[in-house]
Amino acid sequence: MAELKYDIIQTIAVLSESPKGWTKELNLISWNGRDPKYDLRDWAPDKMKMGKGVTLTKEELLKLKDSLEEIK
Amino acid sequence: MAELKYDIIQTIAVLSESPKGWTKELNLISWNGRDPKYDLRDWAPDKMKMGKGVTLTKEELLKLKDSLEEIK
């Protein structure tokens, strides 16, 4: 994988933590200096490694929000 | 990557579609016959390929839902 430069602008939520300390987080992240995007992924303790995840535009995040209305 | 068997139980939302037809979706998916989990990822047209993504437990999804309250 190519080297990625990223800057975590805001941590919106920590959804869970595994026994080994990995956390699943929703962050607002700027990748390679570009405009920040929402990002949902697993992180190792102290952000030493990142797991697989998805980035979301604000529009996608708002659609996701709407779709979660039905989940109780 | 090891062969994965999956069964899409429910498509909860299609968040976006790229010019090449890939869609970002929230689905409820059973992986390898296990209990279904929520799954947010990109899919090629007709589900021929899957992109990177995250799986979420119901508890994680509900936390995510709560955290999105602040996003307008």
Side-chain angles (χ1 to χ4, degrees), chain B residues 20-39:
Chain B
K20 289 191 171 176
W22 282 69
T23 48
K24 190 166 288 178
E25 303 186 11
L26 178 65
N27 291 298
L28 188 60
I29 297 183
S30 168
W31 298 96
N32 294 319
R34 291 194 294 265
D35 284 346
K37 281 187 145 197
Y38 294 96
D39 183 274

Side-chain angles (χ1 to χ4, degrees), chain A residues 21-46:
Chain A
W22 282 69
T23 49
K24 189 167 289 178
E25 302 186 11
L26 177 65
N27 292 298
L28 189 59
I29 298 183
S30 168
W31 298 96
N32 295 319
R34 290 195 294 265
D35 284 346
K37 282 188 144 195
Y38 295 95
D39 183 275
L40 185 63
R41 80 177 61 239
D42 292 301
W43 293 89
D46 300 320

Side-chain angles (χ1 to χ4, degrees), chain B residues 42-55:
Chain B
D42 291 302
W43 293 89
D46 300 322
K47 302 279 188 300
M48 294 293 282
K49 285 189 202 172
M50 62 177 73
K52 289 178 181 176
V54 285
T55 58

